[in-house]
Amino acid sequence: MLKPIADRVIIKVQEEKEESVGGILLASNAKEKPQVGEVIAVGDGSVTENGTKLPLTVKVGDTVYYDKYSGSQVKFDNEDYLVLHEKDIIAIVE
């Protein structure tokens, strides 16, 4: 499994449903990038200048919304993931 470092988080992006109003389906490259996913792994947290470790707010299993163009896409074991900094997460779904 992938293990993020510092304040990074690994997200499994949730796929959007291919339903549309009026029966028109958009090509996959014309669709908006999804902005919601499930946290798969979290790093240990960032370290301040004085050496204090700041733990992350999100935890494995959280469903989160993140900034539209944030993170780096990676492929591991034939699965697509998004690796981003915790600061790019804008909300946790409760």
Side-chain angles (χ1 to χ4, degrees):
M1 184 60 187
L2 296 172
K3 173 70 174 146
I5 59 172
D7 68 335
R8 287 182 175 83
V9 177
I10 298 177
I11 305 283
K12 175 70 176 161
V13 178
Q14 292 182 356
E15 298 296 323
E16 288 188 300
K17 297 177 183 172
E18 297 202 11
E19 300 174 6
S20 67
V21 176
I24 298 173
L25 294 177
L26 295 174
S28 61
N29 60 353
K31 294 179 186 175
E32 292 270 331
K33 179 181 171 184
Q35 294 173 261
V36 65
E38 179 184 354
V39 176
I40 301 299
V42 297
D44 294 331
S46 59
V47 179
T48 63
E49 289 181 14
N50 67 5
T52 304
K53 187 169 279 199
L54 300 174
L56 277 67
T57 304
V58 297
K59 62 186 179 310
V60 173
D62 283 348
T63 300
V64 296
Y65 281 91
Y66 51 87
D67 286 333
K68 188 176 235 173
Y69 299 107
S70 61
S72 299
Q73 293 181 340
V74 296
K75 189 170 198 117
F76 182 77
D77 284 344
N78 293 322
E79 292 285 337
D80 292 320
Y81 298 99
L82 185 66
V83 180
L84 47 84
H85 290 275
E86 186 184 39
K87 68 180 181 179
D88 295 325
I89 295 174
I90 56 177
I92 299 172
V93 178
E94 292 186 340

